[in-house]
């Protein structure tokens, strides 16, 4: 074979400070089918990059199995663009954020990414409901009664009046991801109490963000879902204030404190 001559360029290339201006890191469950798809659709852009890592999770969805993820949070955050800062890190599990605690999740993530804002679905949902002026809420979860009870207590402890709380009784998050959009809309209609201010649909596995605006049109009330709330929070924390009414009323709201 003929030996090829290789040559080194006359100079080193110029480098941008970052490939994209803003960085959003996702810590998602190994079994998650939905979060990355939703964030690529709602958050990622030529300005905002979305970077995910996965952490171990074992079904069924029970408080004990959810709590077992806590030791993996710091290592998971550290694997997202190692040794580089992130603007936001989002832990994508609503029910685990309840049983572990928003503050504990934040502390675990900041141990690896100290300068990042930390978003949980629960805290984002609370911010979203407040931004919409909701005080009396309906809640729809895909979980069992056992897993739903801590969530009911979470919202009640934060001062929300729960008008109706509906559980679908599933215990496998992979099945939660397979609930059809049509069924999500149908159950959302049943779960919305006439006297409530807004409906919250829990679980980052459930494909509710894609039909939030459709549900709003059907029930005549604002709808907050786990992934819609976290996408909204991440966008606003990255300085994106663009209103996206096609995604739901929440995407027209300012983020509290900004």
């Amino acid at each position: 074979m003929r030996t090829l001559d290789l040559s080194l360029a006359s100079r080193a290339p110029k480098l941008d400070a970052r490939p994209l201006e803003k960085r959003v890191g996702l810590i998602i469950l190994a079994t998650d089918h939905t979060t990355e798809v939703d964030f690529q659709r709602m958050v990622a852009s030529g300005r905002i990059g979305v970077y995910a890592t996965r952490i171990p999770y074992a079904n069924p969805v029970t408080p004990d199995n959810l709590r077992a993820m806590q030791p993996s949070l710091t290592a998971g955050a550290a694997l997202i663009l190692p040794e580089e800062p992130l603007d936001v890190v989002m832990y994508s599990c609503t029910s685990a954020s309840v049983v572990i605690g928003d503050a504990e999740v934040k502390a675990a993530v900041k141990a690896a990414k100290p300068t990042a804002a930390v978003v949980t679905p629960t805290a984002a949902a609370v911010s979203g409901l407040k931004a919409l002026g909701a005080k009396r809420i309906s809640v729809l979860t895909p979980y069992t009664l056992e897993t739903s009870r801590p969530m009911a207590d979470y919202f009640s402890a934060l001062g929300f009046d729960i008008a109706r709380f509906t559980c679908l009784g599933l215990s496998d998050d992979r099945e939660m991801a397979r609930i059809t959009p049509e069924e999500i809309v149908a159950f959302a209609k049943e779960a919305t109490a006439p006297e409530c201010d807004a409906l919250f649909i829990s679980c980052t596995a459930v494909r509710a963000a894609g039909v939030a605006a459709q549900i709003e049109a059907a029930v005549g009330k604002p709808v907050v879902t786990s992934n819609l709330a976290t996408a909204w929070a991440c966008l606003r924390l990255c300085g994106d204030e663009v209103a996206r009414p096609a995604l739901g009323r929440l995407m027209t709201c300012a983020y509290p404190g900004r």
Side-chain angles (χ1 to χ4, degrees):
M1 293 182 62
R2 183 172 64 88
T3 301
L4 297 175
D5 292 329
L6 307 181
S7 60
L8 189 64
S10 61
R11 58 179 180 81
K14 295 179 180 178
L15 305 179
D16 284 330
R18 293 181 171 190
L20 294 174
E21 181 184 344
K22 296 292 183 179
R23 298 167 174 167
V24 174
L26 306 179
I27 302 174
I28 62 178
L29 280 56
T31 50
D32 187 316
H33 286 265
T34 307
T35 301
E36 285 172 301
V37 177
D38 275 352
F39 265 64
Q40 286 299 321
R41 177 174 60 88
M42 295 189 290
V43 177
S45 68
R47 177 175 169 269
I48 301 174
V50 176
Y51 309 93
T53 190
R54 290 179 177 253
I55 60 174
Y57 177 68
N59 279 294
V61 179
T62 64
D64 286 344
N65 283 350
L66 294 165
R67 196 175 290 110
M69 284 187 278
Q70 184 172 359
S72 301
L73 293 176
T74 301
L79 286 173
I80 308 171
L81 304 181
E83 300 180 6
E84 295 195 58
L86 302 175
D87 297 285
V88 187
V89 175
M90 194 276 286
Y91 172 47
S92 192
C93 188
T94 320
S95 50
S97 296
V98 168
V99 298
I100 295 171
D102 294 320
E104 287 74 11
V105 170
K106 181 177 180 178
V109 171
K110 279 191 169 290
K113 298 292 184 181
T115 64
V118 179
V119 170
T120 63
T122 41
V126 168
S127 293
L129 290 166
K130 289 182 177 179
L132 290 162
K135 296 180 180 178
R136 193 171 200 197
I137 63 173
S138 294
V139 180
L140 173 63
T141 84
Y143 320 125
T144 62
L145 294 172
E146 176 195 19
T147 301
S148 295
R149 173 57 59 187
M151 184 162 295
D153 294 340
Y154 173 89
F155 282 105
S156 294
L158 290 172
F160 289 97
D161 179 13
I162 298 177
R164 185 178 295 171
F165 198 114
T166 306
C167 315
L168 299 183
L170 300 180
S171 60
D172 189 317
D173 71 324
R174 296 164 297 185
E175 292 182 351
M176 297 173 193
R178 297 206 302 272
I179 302 171
T180 68
E182 295 78 14
E183 282 285 78
I184 296 169
V185 174
F187 279 110
K189 291 178 184 178
E190 293 180 13
T192 305
E195 67 275 20
C196 74
D197 300 321
L199 170 67
F200 172 58
I201 304 176
S202 182
C203 189
T204 56
V206 174
R207 292 175 288 167
V211 291
Q214 182 180 342
I215 297 169
E216 288 181 338
V219 302
K221 298 178 186 294
V223 174
V224 175
T225 82
S226 291
N227 288 355
L228 183 64
T230 55
W232 167 74
C234 289
L235 284 168
R236 298 297 185 258
L237 288 167
C238 286
D240 186 325
E241 304 292 344
V242 176
R244 295 175 172 86
L247 296 177
R249 295 190 208 177
L250 180 61
M251 281 291 190
T252 67
C253 296
Y255 191 71
R258 292 186 67 83

